[in-house]
Amino acid sequence: MDRIVIGASWGDEGKGAVVDRLAVDSGLVVRYNGGDNAGHTMHIGDQKVVLHILPTGVLHGKPVAIGPDVFVNPKALLTDIEEVTGKGFAPKQIFIDERAHLIMPYHQELDAARDKNQGIGTTKRGIGPVAEARANRKKGLTVGDLFGNNFRERTKEIVLLYGEELRGVAEGVSLEEYADALATEYLQLRETLSQFITLRSTVYLLEEYENILFEGAQGTLLDVVHGTRPYITSSNTTAGAVASNVRPGNYEVVGIVKALWTRVGEGPFPTEMDSTQSETMRVAGDEFGATTGRGRRIGHPDFVALKYSALINGVNYWVLTKVDSFADTAIQGCTAYTKNGESTSEIPANMDGWEAEYTTNYQWPKTDWKSVTKETLPDGLRKYIADIHQYTGVPVGMITFGPERGDYLWLLNK
Ligand code: GDP
Ligand code: IMO
Ligand code: MG
């Protein structure tokens, strides 16, 4: 069975740790969207591994692939390769799709400069500008270009196409000189990378491997179409991205949802806690971004958004993460949004002014999680799990109660 792992909310739901648990049964793990704006943290024994672009399957020695819809920063990829190699998980086989677009240093600089005015609170990894370059068609550079035989010329052509926009980035040198230096730097990166990677269209790999696991980055509410715009990322983060960018198929969709909700960066968050409560929970859950180190905003579970996420992704079951971190917490469930006396259980396209209405609450004690079974789940947690099913129509298939590989319990027979 091929599976897709997606984030239900605004990212950092614990996708990486879940992929690490599911990868054990997989033939190939494919990263299918986003770029190194992602930060997936895994704990294996006393090792903590943070990956930004390399699929998590490397930690089980599985072959991994970077799909055509991923934005590839070669430096970030090398850093990930060093991270895993240094920790004793040298990758066996890394495939990269030639159609994937390259993140160039000017994308990052443009991202940082623009975000000062736009205030989206991006990760400054160049995601918006590289997505624009791809949509523009002529301005895009791909992995195929990097490994082709006229990368220097292509880089110059594109830098000149940007023209004035890159004048500030090219500090004190002509655009031609800037392009030349960039090409030299990237061709060196190509040399290093070529020791580790194999160029291959992802779609052909699907014929060669079984039990493929697609690792999503970001979350549904950051999706460029379905998210809380304009406070979103610039790529497709939902399960549909696998169908449109790799291949439609009969997938099991696994939605990851955290016991308390979080968001990094700006944008609407109807269930956000007040700053004092947020601060306490941030520390309890160690909720700091793996990519930028920013403190995550914290909120109550939002069943309105979760139902939307279930529908958009066609989720088969949820994995509810971090039930350990948020034990002993008074959690409220948001079941509707209200505004000026109006109430809705459907997420509005424009969330301005909509407030969370809470009708349920949950609390469970700290527990000896390793010995918990389906039958001995604490009552408050059992009620929470039942309500997730009731309000979204999708059951919770697994809970996780710690960052380590073994810290999980299946509730469905899988
Ligand atoms: P991702 O981006 O969705 O992969 O999530 P992140 O890795 O950015 O953030 C999730 C954090 O929670 C990581 O530090 C994980 O190691 C940690 N984590 C995941 N599941 C659990 C869990 O069940 N309990 C605890 N305590 N930590 C968890
Ligand atoms: P993972 O895969 C959490 C957020 C940024 C910002 C918005 C746009 O670890 O869940 P971008 O740099 O993409 O243009 O920023 O999206 N964002 C994430 N938040 N987890 C992520 O990835 C994110 N990737 C992007 O904080 O609000
Ligand atoms: Mg993350």
Side-chain angles (χ1 to χ4, degrees), residues 243-299:
S244 60
N245 295 302
V246 186
R247 184 178 72 178
N250 186 18
Y251 300 110
E252 181 175 85
V253 180
V254 185
I256 315 302
V257 56
K258 195 153 55 177
L260 278 186
W261 284 40
T262 64
R263 174 162 206 168
V264 213
E266 301 306 312
F269 189 0
T271 60
E272 186 167 13
M273 293 174 169
D274 67 36
S275 57
T276 322
Q277 246 187 323
S278 252
E279 180 57 32
T280 313
M281 290 299 116
R282 189 173 303 126
V283 174
D286 192 21
E287 291 290 354
F288 296 89
T291 300
T292 58
R294 290 176 292 178
R296 295 174 182 150
R297 298 157 64 191
I298 318 274

Side-chain angles (χ1 to χ4, degrees), residues 101-102 104 106 133 137-162 179-180 182-183 187:
H101 274 65
L102 282 181
M104 302 296 287
Y106 52 81
R137 295 161 290 181
K138 284 264 182 180
K139 281 185 177 166
L141 273 171
T142 63
V143 169
D145 288 326
L146 178 62
F147 283 86
N149 50 20
N150 60 347
F151 184 68
R152 195 173 290 281
E153 294 71 38
R154 294 277 298 124
T155 307
K156 195 193 267 179
E157 212 176 285
I158 285 164
V159 165
L160 293 178
L161 208 54
Y162 272 91
D180 212 43
L182 263 190
L187 287 170

Side-chain angles (χ1 to χ4, degrees), residues 9-306:
S9 56
W10 289 284
D12 301 328
E13 299 89 349
K15 298 175 292 295
V18 173
V19 169
D20 181 53
R21 288 157 181 142
L22 299 180
V24 72
D25 300 326
S26 305
L28 175 76
V29 181
V30 182
R31 173 72 184 275
Y32 69 87
N33 74 310
D36 62 305
N37 47 348
H40 298 178
T41 308
M42 283 66 58
H43 289 78
I44 295 127
D46 53 5
Q47 304 260 45
K48 174 179 166 184
V49 182
V50 181
L51 295 176
H52 297 284
I53 177 162
L54 200 56
T56 296
V58 288
L59 302 178
H60 277 292
K62 302 287 176 175
V64 296
I66 294 175
D69 192 29
V70 177
F71 299 122
V72 178
N73 178 338
K75 284 187 232 171
L77 179 55
L78 280 170
T79 306
D80 275 4
I81 293 172
E82 276 165 27
E83 162 89 354
V84 293
T85 307
K87 291 182 175 163
F89 303 96
K92 273 214 183 95
Q93 181 120 48
I94 306 172
F95 298 103
I96 303 192
D97 201 304
E98 283 188 70
R99 291 171 179 80
H101 274 65
L102 282 181
I103 297 181
M104 302 296 287
Y106 52 81
H107 293 137
Q108 292 164 295
E109 299 208 32
L110 291 173
D111 189 4
R114 285 181 198 171
D115 203 48
K116 280 193 189 132
N117 301 323
Q118 291 189 329
I120 288 172
T122 72
T123 59
K124 323 252 184 309
R125 296 301 191 270
I127 303 299
V130 71
E132 274 176 39
R134 184 174 70 174
N136 171 282
R137 295 161 290 181
K138 284 264 182 180
K139 281 185 177 166
L141 273 171
T142 63
V143 169
D145 288 326
L146 178 62
F147 283 86
N149 50 20
N150 60 347
F151 184 68
R152 195 173 290 281
E153 294 71 38
R154 294 277 298 124
T155 307
K156 195 193 267 179
E157 212 176 285
I158 285 164
V159 165
L160 293 178
L161 208 54
Y162 272 91
E164 274 311 301
E165 210 182 341
L166 292 189
R167 191 71 65 198
V169 176
E171 284 178 1
V173 294
S174 71
L175 287 182
E176 281 87 352
E177 288 167 322
Y178 169 70
D180 212 43
L182 263 190
T184 302
E185 182 191 351
Y186 266 53
L187 287 170
Q188 274 165 5
L189 290 169
R190 172 176 99 173
E191 282 314 299
T192 317
L193 261 186
S194 54
Q195 302 165 39
F196 302 106
I197 63 140
T198 307
L199 296 182
R200 195 82 203 283
S201 295
T202 316
V203 72
Y204 296 111
L205 293 171
L206 306 188
E207 291 198 315
E208 289 169 25
Y209 291 94
E210 288 187 341
N211 294 328
I212 296 166
L213 180 57
F214 290 90
E215 175 173 356
Q218 292 82 52
T220 304
L221 302 176
L222 288 172
D223 184 89
V224 66
V225 177
H226 306 291
T228 50
R229 65 180 307 281
Y231 300 97
I232 51 178
T233 188
S234 301
S235 70
N236 300 287
T237 64
T238 52
V242 174
S244 60
N245 295 302
V246 186
R247 184 178 72 178
N250 186 18
Y251 300 110
E252 181 175 85
V253 180
V254 185
I256 315 302
V257 56
K258 195 153 55 177
L260 278 186
W261 284 40
T262 64
R263 174 162 206 168
V264 213
E266 301 306 312
F269 189 0
T271 60
E272 186 167 13
M273 293 174 169
D274 67 36
S275 57
T276 322
Q277 246 187 323
S278 252
E279 180 57 32
T280 313
M281 290 299 116
R282 189 173 303 126
V283 174
D286 192 21
E287 291 290 354
F288 296 89
T291 300
T292 58
R294 290 176 292 178
R296 295 174 182 150
R297 298 157 64 191
I298 318 274
H300 291 283
D302 182 340
F303 295 138
V304 176
L306 197 60

